[in-house]
Amino acid sequence: MVVVAPAANAVPSPDVLIGEVYGGGGNSGATLTQDFVELTNVSAAPVSLAGWSVQYLPAAPSASSRWQATPLTGSIAPGKTYLVGEAKGTGGTLELPAVDAAGSIAMAAGAGTVALVNSAEPLTCLTAADCNADTRIRDLVGYGNATVRETSPAPGTANATSSARVNNTDTDNNSVDFATGTPTPVNAAGEGPGGTTPPVQAKIHDIQGVTRVSPLAGKKVAGVTGVVTGVRAFGSVRGFWFQDTAPDADPRTSEGLFVFNAGVTPNVKAGDAVVVAGTVKEFLPNDDANSTYQSLTQLINAQWTVSSAGNALPQAQSIDEKTLPAQYVPTGGNIDSLELKPDTFALDFYESHEGERIRINDVRVVGPSTEFNEFYVTVRPNENPTARGGTLYSGYDQFNPGRLKVMSLIPFSQRPFPQFNVGDKLTGGTEGPLDYVNFGGYTLQATTLGGEQSSGLQPEVTRKQRSGELAVGTYNVENLDPGDDQAKFDRLAAGVVKNLASPDIVALEEIQDDNGATDNGVVSAEQTLQKFTDAIVAQGGPRYQWRQINPENKTDGGEPGGNIRVAFIFNPARVSFVDRPGGDATTPVQVLSQYGRPKLSVSPGRIDPLNAAWQSSRKPLAGEFVFGGRKVFVVANHFNSKGGDQSVHGRFQPPNRVSEEQRIKQSIALRGFVDSVLAVDSKANIVLAGDLNDFQFAPALAELTRGGAVRDLIDTLPPKERYTYVFEGNSQVLDHTLTSRAPRGVDYDVVHINAEFAGQASDHDPQVVRFRPSTGEEWLDVIFDLLDLVERLRNSHG
C-alpha cells in the first residue's frame, strides 16, 4: 500500500502566497549574494503582515530540528510583492534590492521548507500531517526532497536557481505550483537586483533578438502581444506558443515564443489573442549553464490576459528544399553570440523561426516512430537517400540539414500518434510551432498532422550459407535479460533464425546479467543465454551453445546494475569451439605458436582487459573455432559509447567528439591482438565483429584497418546500403564486421530488420558474413574453391 503524505494547509491561501524561495545566495556559482523569500498578494485588497512571519525548516527534520522565524511588518498591496532577505554568503556579485523585511536564516540551496505564518511564534510541527493541522500556516512550500510540503515537493534547486510559483496558482501541490528557474527577486517598490526598474515593454521579436540568446534574458517583460498558436497540455513541460501578427522586417528575429507553465495546463486555446508578462529565460537542459545544446528562449513565471478569442492564426512558414539553406551551421566555437544568417545556414534558419508556425508538405520519413511519440522527416528529398528510403550519414561534413523532428500536440484520443517506418510518407500539410529540444534538435510540434502513406518496407532476409561456407553474424540485442518480455526473446530469436538464416557463429552485444538492471552483485548471464537459445530452438533454429566471461561487477559500463557483456553463440553441428580454461575477467588472452600456427592461451579469453582503454567499457572476447578442419579466430566487440560527445545541432561548432579518444585507444589494443595472430601466421582467418559505436570514416576505424591487415566489410557494400542504425533521422554505421585477408569468397550482408521500423526488437540491425576459411595452403584452398563452385552450380540447377 502506498501512503501519501497529507498536504500541509489543505485550503489554498485567498490572498498572500509564497511566490519564490531561494537558498543559494552567496554560494559558489551564485550571482546573488543573499537568500530570499518573495511573497505575492493575489487578492484585490491590501493585506497587513504585522505579527506574521516567514519560517524555515530543513528538508529532512529530525526530532531536534526547530523552525527559524523572520518577523514581518507593514502590509502588501494587491498584485504586489514583498521581499524578505535572509542570510548572506561570501559568493555572488549582485545584491538584492532593498528588502521589505530582513532575517538571517541560512536556507539550503537544494531542499527545504518555507512557511508563511500569521504568527511570529516558531512552529513546532515536523511532519506534513502535523503542519496541515496548524491553522496558523497561511502557505507553505517544500522544495527538493523536503519532508514537509504541500502534497508533493517542488523540484529541487541549486546555487544558481530558485523555486518560483507558476502563474500565481495555488493548488496545494508544490510540485505543480512551483518551477525551478533563474532567481527573480522583486521588492514592494517593484525593484529587482541592483535596483532594476519595472518590466520592459517588449515585442516577441525584441525578446528573440538576432542571435540564439535573447538580449533580454533574465529580465522581466510585459505587454508582450500575440495570438496563441499551440498548447502543450500534457507532461511536465506544459505551456503555450504565441506569435505576433505584426512582424518586423528583420528576417533574423523570430515572431514566436513559448510560455512555460510548469506542470499546469494553461487556460488558453489556439486563436486567443493574449497580452503576456513574465521573465525571459534561455532554457538549457537541467538548467546546466555548461550544456552543449542550444537553448530555447521562453517566458517563465508568466501572467497573461486574453483580449479576444477565435482569431486567425498567423500564416505558417513553409519549409522545403527551396527555403532551407544547404549549409548546416556556422563554426567557430560557441555560436550563441553570432548574428543569425538564416539565408546561409539551416540551423540559423530554424532559429530565426523558433516558436513560429511552420509547415511541411508531402515529406518522406527518415527516422521511424519511437516510444517517445516522435519521428523524423526530410524536407530535402534528394539529400543522400539510402536504398530503402532513409537519409545516409556518410561523413562528418554530411549533416543532412533537411532532417526535422515531428511530434504532436493533438490529443491522442483525437488522433493516435502515427506509426511510421523509414521510407513512409507524411502526406499533405503538417503545421505547428517550431520547438527546440536537446533530444533531436528543432522539432515541429504539430497542431495539424498530415496523412500516412506506407512505402511497404519489409524486413530483409539473407540467404542460407552453403555447406562449405562459415557464417558469422553479429547482433546487438539491446540490454537483453531474463526479465524482458518473452515477446522480445521471440522476436530476436526469429531474427537469428529467419532473417539471418541461423549463422554458425553469432557475436552478441548487450547481454545483461541474470537479473538485468537490479544492482545486487549478480554478474552471471547463464539464464539470459539459456532463455535466448531456447527461444531460437522454438523458432526452428539449431540448439546453439554459448561461451562468455562474466565481467567484474559494475566495471563494464552500460545500464547500471546490468553488467552487459559480449558473448558467442554457435551451432555445434557446424562448428567446434576450442575450449582452453583459465579465461576470466582480468586474465588477458595471449597468442601462442604451435607448429607454426597461432593458438590462444585461453579460449574464450578477454583481450588486454586491464588496459585503461577498456575502463567502464566492454572488453573484447576472443574465441578459437574450427570449421571443416580450419581454424578461425573470432572476436566479439562492443566499444565505448558516444556519451559525452557534443551534439551536431548544439551550440558548439564543430562539435567535440570526446568519446572518440577512448575508441581510438580500444582500436589500438584490438589491432595489437590482430597483429600478434598475423605475426605467427600471416594467412590466419580472423573475424572482428560487433558494435564499435563509431562510423566507418572515423579515426578509430582508420586505426583498426591501417595497412590493410583487416578490412571493414561495410566499405564493400554499395554506398546507399552502408548503415546499421538510425539516429535522429540519419542512417549510419555503428556495427561492423572486419576480416583478415585470408578468408575466401567473402559475402557480407547487413540485414535491415530493426533500425528502420517503428516496432523494433533492437535498435540495431544485425549483419552476417559468409566465407570459406583459408587452409593456409594455396593448393588446398583452390580445391575448396572448386568444391564450392560445384555446389553453387548444383543449387542453381535445382
Side-chain angles (χ1 to χ4, degrees):
M1 181 177 68
V2 177
V3 178
V4 179
N9 185 20
V11 180
S13 173
D15 41 41
V16 182
L17 299 173
I18 297 171
E20 187 172 1
V21 295
Y22 173 61
N27 293 353
S28 175
T31 300
L32 295 173
T33 62
Q34 191 172 354
D35 298 345
F36 70 85
V37 177
E38 182 186 288
L39 307 178
T40 302
N41 184 357
V42 297
S43 73
V47 177
S48 173
L49 300 178
W52 291 28
S53 63
V54 162
Q55 301 193 23
Y56 173 80
L57 183 71
S62 65
S64 61
S65 295
R66 296 292 180 266
W67 287 85
Q68 301 176 68
T70 298
L72 308 180
T73 59
S75 63
I76 179 170
K80 296 297 183 179
T81 57
Y82 183 101
L83 187 62
V84 184
E86 297 294 355
K88 287 185 111 176
T90 57
T93 58
L94 199 59
E95 300 287 342
L96 292 179
V99 299
D100 302 303
S104 59
I105 302 172
M107 298 162 55
T113 300
V114 175
L116 175 63
V117 185
N118 62 2
S119 167
E121 290 295 318
L123 300 170
T124 57
C125 56
L126 297 178
T127 67
D130 288 345
C131 289
N132 176 54
D134 196 324
T135 58
R136 295 174 299 168
I137 297 177
R138 298 296 298 267
D139 194 19
L140 181 145
V141 57
Y143 58 100
N145 61 347
T147 298
V148 179
R149 75 276 184 155
E150 292 181 343
T151 310
S152 299
T157 53
N159 291 342
T161 56
S162 68
S163 188
R165 190 175 293 274
V166 178
N167 200 31
N168 285 341
T169 55
D170 186 17
T171 67
D172 277 345
N173 185 337
N174 294 156
S175 66
V176 171
D177 293 341
F178 286 82
T180 300
T182 303
T184 57
V186 176
N187 64 14
E191 298 171 330
T196 304
T197 53
V200 176
Q201 299 292 310
K203 295 284 191 179
I204 292 177
H205 51 250
D206 298 326
I207 296 169
Q208 287 284 12
V210 299
T211 69
R212 285 173 167 77
V213 175
S214 170
L216 299 176
K219 295 183 179 179
K220 291 187 181 248
V221 293
V224 189
T225 57
V227 172
V228 174
T229 59
V231 179
R232 183 187 279 129
F234 52 85
S236 60
V237 185
R238 304 189 189 191
F240 65 89
W241 287 267
F242 71 125
Q243 187 169 333
D244 199 327
T245 56
D248 66 3
D250 193 334
R252 300 170 297 178
T253 57
S254 172
E255 301 294 343
L257 191 62
F258 181 65
V259 177
F260 173 69
N261 207 43
V264 180
T265 300
N267 57 338
V268 294
K269 59 184 180 299
D272 284 352
V274 290
V275 182
V276 187
T279 300
V280 179
K281 179 177 181 178
E282 288 293 339
F283 172 76
L284 288 165
N286 301 316
D287 287 313
D288 180 8
N290 297 316
S291 171
T292 64
Y293 296 101
Q294 292 188 65
S295 58
L296 174 70
T297 307
Q298 60 184 18
L299 292 182
I300 63 171
N301 303 332
Q303 298 175 283
W304 58 85
T305 57
V306 177
S307 56
S308 63
N311 296 280
L313 302 185
Q315 183 176 355
Q317 166 68 50
S318 179
I319 298 182
D320 54 30
E321 58 184 336
K322 295 180 180 178
T323 57
L324 187 70
Q327 291 190 70
Y328 190 61
V329 66
T331 59
N334 189 331
I335 62 174
D336 278 348
S337 61
L338 298 182
E339 288 192 4
L340 299 175
K341 296 181 179 180
D343 293 333
T344 304
F345 300 110
L347 286 194
D348 286 18
F349 175 88
Y350 285 131
E351 178 64 22
S352 71
H353 295 287
E354 179 189 84
E356 291 183 1
R357 294 185 73 236
I358 63 170
R359 178 182 176 89
I360 54 178
N361 294 286
D362 295 319
V363 290
R364 189 177 78 248
V365 174
V366 295
S369 299
T370 74
E371 60 185 305
F372 304 106
N373 295 315
E374 63 188 20
F375 59 90
Y376 290 81
V377 300
T378 180
V379 300
R380 299 173 61 87
N382 299 314
E383 189 172 70
N384 299 322
T386 69
R388 288 164 57 87
T391 294
L392 192 71
Y393 183 57
S394 58
Y396 287 132
D397 59 343
Q398 299 296 319
F399 292 105
N400 296 319
R403 294 171 301 113
L404 182 66
K405 181 175 168 180
V406 179
M407 300 184 78
S408 177
L409 298 176
I410 304 169
F412 293 165
S413 59
Q414 297 179 19
R415 171 76 185 272
F417 195 76
Q419 295 302 295
F420 281 118
N421 297 328
V422 166
D424 292 349
K425 284 190 176 179
L426 177 64
T427 60
T430 295
E431 295 182 342
L434 182 62
D435 196 8
Y436 178 84
V437 295
N438 54 313
F439 294 109
Y442 289 99
T443 301
L444 194 167
Q445 298 283 358
T447 55
T448 300
L449 193 58
E452 305 164 38
Q453 180 179 317
S454 171
S455 67
L457 191 73
Q458 295 296 316
E460 291 185 330
V461 176
T462 197
R463 71 169 177 86
K464 184 73 175 176
Q465 66 269 30
R466 293 186 287 271
S467 61
E469 289 179 315
L470 176 68
V472 179
T474 179
Y475 202 168
N476 183 320
V477 292
E478 195 175 7
N479 291 327
L480 186 67
D481 73 78
D484 289 329
D485 292 340
Q486 184 63 43
K488 178 175 180 178
F489 280 89
D490 294 342
R491 286 197 59 190
L492 290 168
V496 170
V497 175
K498 298 172 183 177
N499 301 92
L500 289 179
S502 299
D504 303 310
I505 304 167
V506 183
L508 299 173
E509 301 88 56
E510 295 198 17
I511 292 291
Q512 289 196 337
D513 64 34
D514 290 334
N515 56 24
T518 302
D519 188 3
N520 62 355
V522 170
V523 294
S524 169
E526 296 299 296
Q527 294 177 32
T528 306
L529 290 162
Q530 185 68 62
K531 188 172 182 178
F532 187 36
T533 53
D534 287 347
I536 289 173
V537 172
Q539 292 291 328
R543 169 57 71 182
Y544 282 102
Q545 296 181 10
W546 66 83
R547 298 291 187 274
Q548 62 96 37
I549 291 177
N550 292 331
E552 292 183 310
N553 191 34
K554 298 193 285 192
T555 61
D556 283 16
E559 186 178 24
N563 290 309
I564 60 173
R565 83 288 308 273
V566 295
F568 296 119
I569 58 173
F570 63 94
N571 180 1
R574 292 263 304 164
V575 64
S576 300
F577 190 88
V578 180
D579 287 295
R580 291 196 184 93
D584 58 27
T586 59
T587 298
V589 63
Q590 303 292 331
V591 179
L592 307 176
S593 177
Q594 184 179 44
Y595 309 118
R597 296 295 175 91
K599 76 169 190 176
L600 302 183
S601 59
V602 294
S603 178
R606 288 180 141 197
I607 294 174
D608 203 6
L610 300 181
N611 189 325
W614 308 112
Q615 183 175 359
S616 298
S617 183
R618 285 66 57 184
K619 284 69 174 173
L621 186 70
E624 189 174 321
F625 293 85
V626 176
F627 176 76
R630 289 157 285 176
K631 188 175 294 187
V632 180
F633 299 95
V634 183
V635 182
N637 302 275
H638 189 187
F639 282 12
N640 74 297
S641 77
K642 292 182 176 292
D645 287 4
Q646 293 176 349
S647 170
V648 296
H649 53 73
R651 57 181 174 146
F652 294 98
Q653 297 292 339
N656 188 6
R657 299 181 293 272
V658 294
S659 69
E660 191 174 76
E661 298 176 8
Q662 186 175 1
R663 286 191 296 279
I664 292 172
K665 293 176 182 177
Q666 292 176 339
S667 288
I668 292 171
L670 181 57
R671 178 58 188 271
F673 171 81
V674 170
D675 290 343
S676 64
V677 175
L678 296 178
V680 177
D681 180 7
S682 62
K683 296 181 180 180
N685 300 293
I686 304 173
V687 179
L688 311 178
D691 178 3
L692 301 188
N693 263 318
D694 221 334
F695 313 118
Q696 71 274 30
F697 49 81
L701 271 297
E703 181 63 44
L704 198 54
T705 58
R706 60 179 166 79
V710 291
R711 62 172 176 164
D712 191 355
L713 298 183
I714 197 78
D715 293 329
T716 67
L717 297 179
K720 290 186 177 183
E721 297 178 16
R722 297 176 186 174
Y723 60 95
T724 68
Y725 190 81
V726 178
F727 179 71
E728 294 185 352
N730 270 332
S731 295
Q732 56 193 243
V733 176
L734 291 184
D735 310 86
H736 298 258
T737 300
L738 302 94
T739 61
S740 59
R741 288 173 290 198
R744 303 169 73 89
V746 174
D747 183 20
Y748 168 72
D749 192 8
V750 175
V751 186
H752 300 297
I753 62 176
N754 286 319
E756 299 167 311
F757 295 91
Q760 300 178 346
S762 165
D763 50 354
H764 292 250
D765 284 332
Q767 50 192 268
V768 64
V769 59
R770 296 169 286 261
F771 62 92
R772 298 185 302 280
S774 172
T775 65
E777 300 291 343
E778 185 66 27
W779 65 271
L780 193 54
D781 285 343
V782 171
I783 292 176
F784 278 113
D785 291 346
L786 289 173
L787 291 173
D788 181 71
L789 177 60
V790 169
E791 182 182 359
R792 279 187 287 153
L793 290 172
R794 184 184 297 117
N795 291 338
S796 67
H797 288 84

